[in-house]
Amino acid sequence: MSDSGGATASKYLAISGGVGGAKLALGLARVLAPHQLSIVTNTADDFDHLGLRICPDLDTVMYTLADLNNKEQGWGLEGETWNFLAALRNLGDETWFQLGDRDLATHLTRTAMLNQGLTLSEVTRYLCTKLGVNHQVFPMTDSRVATQVLLKAGGKLSFQHYFVRDRCQPEVVGFRFDNIDAATPSPAFQEVLHDPQLAAVIICPSNPFVSVDPVLSIPGIRNMLRDVAAPVIAVSPIVGGQALKGPTAKMMKELNMPQSAVSVARHYADLLDGFVLDHEDAELRPVVEDMGIATIVTSSVMITLKDRIQLAEDALSFSRTLTRGMSESS
Amino acid sequence: MSDSGGATASKYLAISGGVGGAKLALGLARVLAPHQLSIVTNTADDFDHLGLRICPDLDTVMYTLADLNNKEQGWGLEGETWNFLAALRNLGDETWFQLGDRDLATHLTRTAMLNQGLTLSEVTRYLCTKLGVNHQVFPMTDSRVATQVLLKAGGKLSFQHYFVRDRCQPEVVGFRFDNIDAATPSPAFQEVLHDPQLAAVIICPSNPFVSVDPVLSIPGIRNMLRDVAAPVIAVSPIVGGQALKGPTAKMMKELNMPQSAVSVARHYADLLDGFVLDHEDAELRPVVEDMGIATIVTSSVMITLKDRIQLAEDALSFSRTLTRGMSESS
């Protein structure tokens, strides 16, 4: 019914947020050739800080693929130093956002290039080239979009204030993506969604509410993902009711959803052909399949590089068993 | 004839460029109480680099007075690290201007505050407070002024490109201070020049052409210094025909002036009541005094902190012997 499952369809699109998504993105990058993999990254976390444009998810994906990332913490650079931040503290500035000395070079370069009129896509391509990232990494949009976290206590917080400064402590009731209605998908994002070679879309195990939803909320994207010939699969960021990383499970509780991989599948149900569960959640397969979504069960907790590669291979194999309108479990 | 020489006149204004001037400024700050000393600093060296406003002379004076400066090189911070610059090089940016990790905190803070609409005077006061500089340090103007170096080979270079990137190699034929005609003295600069307590103005041993001339070229300043009741003295930056620091002697040669302290005295002759010569230049006293300028001879080569303090004391004592219209050697 389409060429998405054919021998010539060999391109994959990964949708990623930060640390959790970047793990699978790295696995995919080790399995797929540069021309076979595009990674679109959430930019609703981006913010201006001390005059710098900071793009946490883009940077995490870039640094991870460049093998420059701090393997312990997931974000930031390996061997980073913090002398700038110490001096900044001495000057009385806000220092809740961790700006490493080396990391600053990325932010200054990006900010200077944006101020010269280049788009975030163009800047990202430049940075990737310089950092030695060969696979295509691009922002979801070149428009400014900003996640606002709506609080149970009333009012809202900008995302980084919620996430970093306040360590996700405040209870949330929802999220708003400022300017999303005026945002357009970045050129590379549009291109890959229209590429007849597209074999599958893989939603990485990122936070559905604040990492993936912004991508899906860009006008037209959700419909394009529904209509695209290639199957769409997701890897659950929730295993055994816990988030592998970050506040996903906590948010589910506050949003009155079951803290379960099923909630993730349900969140994407209108898009999904396949869903990847961890062995620990094997008993959830029938519930997900009842939504008309195929499943596989594998090891989805990525500790080592080998885990990342294995999960990438499992997800790719799974996607190759799926054709749209004919979803079935492998 | 004025109260400048009276017992109540106890305030001093130092005019300084970067490293050379900052040495004497430090000596003066060790001898005079905070309310007794104002230091006005050249800002025509300031430039925008990677989106940051960089004020080399202000920073050198601030860091020196805060005892944070690198004692070996004169500029920059002690114990500085260069990881930002290494990462910047990796990203293919220009790295000829040395931006240290700690130093960056100053530039980012300044730039952010300027972008918020604060004046350079306000930002400098804030930075001084945070760095523990108790004496008043302020820019010559809150307007943007930019030194252009006019080249013998034709064309021009912005100052930092000439000074840092090209290490003063190109031959010069003159200097132009862009926007100087529209510049107004900073509020603190105006205030001190109108302060009846002003006891003396001390031109530090800075480069006359690119550090002091911009200050003197702000509309009204040269006349105010001619008309002020307090005596004006200068300390020669040329000793034995050599510049103690920087390209002053080289510039004199290229500008077809004798490479001599006499050229400095002549350069300021319309303003000066007194001129401080080094022992090595004792034989130049009659030539300078023939211009109607009083002189002292002392040790003006500042190696140690003790040297800086001694020269400051000598200059202050000298200034106290002078009253305008009645100049005489001590």
Side-chain angles (χ1 to χ4, degrees):
Chain A
M1 61 168 293
S2 81
D3 60 359
S4 68
T8 56
S10 59
K11 294 193 178 177
Y12 295 86
L13 169 66
I15 299 176
S16 180
V19 178
K23 286 183 179 183
L24 181 57
L26 175 62
L28 291 166
R30 294 297 176 104
V31 171
L32 296 169
H35 72 276
Q36 290 185 290
L37 177 64
S38 294
I39 302 161
V40 64
T41 301
N42 171 43
T43 59
D45 294 6
D46 296 5
F47 74 128
D48 287 322
H49 188 56
L50 300 168
L52 302 173
R53 178 79 61 85
I54 297 176
C55 304
D57 289 355
L58 268 178
D59 288 350
T60 294
V61 172
M62 282 196 312
Y63 293 163
T64 300
L65 266 65
D67 198 24
L68 293 170
N69 64 314
N70 180 316
K71 309 293 186 293
E72 300 289 313
Q73 64 193 15
W75 55 269
L77 290 162
E78 188 66 43
E80 186 58 286
T81 58
W82 304 94
N83 297 312
F84 164 79
L85 208 69
L88 199 69
R89 190 172 294 118
N90 198 35
L91 292 180
D93 285 294
E94 292 186 3
T95 53
W96 55 267
F97 194 84
Q98 301 288 300
L99 288 169
D101 299 331
R102 293 173 211 271
D103 188 31
L104 262 181
T106 303
H107 307 314
L108 253 91
T109 300
R110 173 191 292 123
T111 305
M113 291 178 79
L114 289 171
N115 288 341
Q116 284 161 15
L118 295 173
T119 65
L120 185 58
S121 289
E122 291 166 335
V123 175
T124 303
R125 194 154 52 236
Y126 176 85
L127 291 172
C128 282
T129 301
K130 289 295 178 180
L131 293 174
V133 174
N134 298 317
H135 295 77
Q136 253 206 106
V137 175
F138 45 81
M140 65 183 199
T141 178
D142 289 327
S143 315
R144 296 297 302 266
V145 176
T147 297
Q148 302 289 342
V149 181
L150 310 177
L151 305 180
K152 190 177 180 188
K156 60 186 173 64
L157 278 174
S158 70
F159 182 75
Q160 296 298 340
H161 284 84
Y162 164 80
F163 188 70
V164 178
R165 193 193 64 185
D166 297 349
R167 297 165 187 277
C168 310
Q169 291 302 319
E171 278 189 57
V172 307
V173 292
F175 307 94
R176 198 180 71 204
F177 310 124
D178 281 352
N179 199 43
I180 194 78
D181 291 337
T184 51
S186 62
F189 192 14
Q190 298 196 44
E191 193 180 311
V192 69
L193 285 173
H194 289 104
D195 191 332
Q197 298 299 313
L198 187 64
V201 177
I202 299 159
I203 301 177
C204 290
S206 294
N207 186 306
F209 313 110
V210 294
S211 296
V212 180
D213 270 1
V215 182
L216 303 181
S217 301
I218 297 172
I221 290 298
R222 199 161 192 121
N223 282 339
M224 285 168 85
L225 288 171
R226 281 196 201 105
D227 298 343
V228 73
V232 177
I233 70 172
V235 177
S236 178
I238 297 283
V239 170
Q242 302 294 316
L244 294 174
K245 171 84 191 150
T248 307
K250 179 176 182 287
M251 287 176 176
M252 284 178 166
K253 186 178 175 196
E254 293 165 9
L255 297 170
N256 299 311
M257 289 178 190
Q259 291 171 270
S260 156
V262 172
S263 294
V264 180
R266 187 168 291 124
H267 193 74
Y268 302 136
D270 59 319
L271 305 173
L272 284 191
D273 301 282
F275 193 62
V276 178
L277 287 160
D278 188 76
H279 290 297
E280 199 176 330
D281 290 326
E283 80 280 7
L284 302 176
R285 293 187 78 170
V287 191
V288 176
E289 300 208 341
D290 275 355
M291 298 181 216
I293 300 168
T295 61
I296 55 164
V297 167
T298 183
S299 294
S300 72
V301 183
M302 295 171 281
I303 309 296
T304 64
L305 176 60
K306 193 158 162 276
D307 296 338
R308 291 158 172 74
I309 292 172
Q310 185 60 55
L311 181 59
E313 283 177 343
D314 292 344
L316 291 171
S317 299
F318 178 41
S319 76
R320 289 177 193 128
T321 68
L322 304 171
T323 50
R324 293 217 105 169
M326 205 175 69
S327 302
E328 54 185 44
S329 139
S330 68
Chain B
M1 60 171 290
S2 82
D3 60 358
S4 69
T8 57
S10 59
K11 294 192 177 176
Y12 295 85
L13 170 65
I15 300 176
S16 179
V19 179
K23 288 184 178 183
L24 182 58
L26 176 61
L28 291 165
R30 294 297 176 104
V31 171
L32 297 168
H35 71 277
Q36 290 185 290
L37 177 63
S38 294
I39 302 160
V40 64
T41 301
N42 172 43
T43 59
D45 293 5
D46 296 5
F47 74 127
D48 288 323
H49 188 57
L50 299 167
L52 301 173
R53 178 80 61 87
I54 297 177
C55 305
D57 288 355
L58 269 176
D59 287 351
T60 294
V61 172
M62 285 197 310
Y63 292 162
T64 300
L65 265 66
D67 198 24
L68 294 170
N69 64 315
N70 181 315
K71 309 293 187 291
E72 300 288 314
Q73 64 194 16
W75 56 269
L77 291 161
E78 189 66 43
E80 185 60 285
T81 57
W82 304 95
N83 296 313
F84 163 79
L85 208 69
L88 199 68
R89 189 172 296 118
N90 198 35
L91 292 179
D93 285 295
E94 292 186 4
T95 53
W96 54 267
F97 194 82
Q98 300 289 301
L99 288 168
D101 299 331
R102 294 173 211 273
D103 188 32
L104 262 181
T106 303
H107 308 313
L108 253 91
T109 300
R110 174 190 292 123
T111 304
M113 293 178 79
L114 289 172
N115 287 341
Q116 283 162 18
L118 295 173
T119 65
L120 185 58
S121 289
E122 291 165 335
V123 175
T124 304
R125 194 153 53 237
Y126 175 85
L127 292 172
C128 282
T129 301
K130 290 293 179 182
L131 293 175
V133 174
N134 298 317
H135 294 77
Q136 255 208 106
V137 176
F138 44 82
M140 65 182 200
T141 179
D142 288 328
S143 316
R144 296 296 303 266
V145 176
T147 298
Q148 303 289 343
V149 181
L150 310 179
L151 305 180
K152 190 176 180 189
K156 60 187 173 63
L157 278 175
S158 69
F159 183 74
Q160 296 298 340
H161 283 84
Y162 164 79
F163 189 70
V164 178
R165 193 194 63 186
D166 296 350
R167 298 165 188 276
C168 309
Q169 291 302 320
E171 277 189 58
V172 306
V173 292
F175 307 95
R176 197 180 72 202
F177 310 125
D178 281 353
N179 198 43
I180 194 78
D181 291 337
T184 52
S186 63
F189 192 15
Q190 297 196 43
E191 193 180 309
V192 69
L193 286 173
H194 289 105
D195 191 331
Q197 298 298 312
L198 187 64
V201 177
I202 298 158
I203 301 176
C204 290
S206 294
N207 186 306
F209 313 110
V210 293
S211 295
V212 179
D213 270 0
V215 182
L216 303 181
S217 301
I218 297 171
I221 289 298
R222 199 158 191 123
N223 281 339
M224 286 168 85
L225 288 172
R226 282 196 200 104
D227 296 344
V228 74
V232 177
I233 69 171
V235 178
S236 178
I238 296 283
V239 170
Q242 301 294 317
L244 293 173
K245 171 86 191 150
T248 308
K250 177 175 183 288
M251 287 176 176
M252 283 178 165
K253 187 179 174 195
E254 292 165 9
L255 297 169
N256 299 312
M257 291 177 189
Q259 290 171 268
S260 155
V262 172
S263 293
V264 180
R266 188 168 291 125
H267 194 73
Y268 301 137
D270 59 319
L271 305 173
L272 285 191
D273 302 281
F275 194 64
V276 179
L277 287 160
D278 188 75
H279 290 297
E280 198 175 332
D281 290 325
E283 81 279 7
L284 302 175
R285 292 186 79 170
V287 190
V288 176
E289 301 208 341
D290 276 354
M291 299 181 215
I293 300 167
T295 62
I296 55 164
V297 167
T298 183
S299 293
S300 71
V301 182
M302 296 172 281
I303 309 296
T304 66
L305 176 60
K306 194 159 163 276
D307 296 338
R308 290 158 172 75
I309 292 172
Q310 186 59 54
L311 181 58
E313 284 176 342
D314 292 343
L316 291 170
S317 301
F318 177 41
S319 77
R320 289 177 193 126
T321 68
L322 304 172
T323 52
R324 293 215 106 169
M326 206 176 69
S327 302
E328 53 185 44
S329 140
S330 66

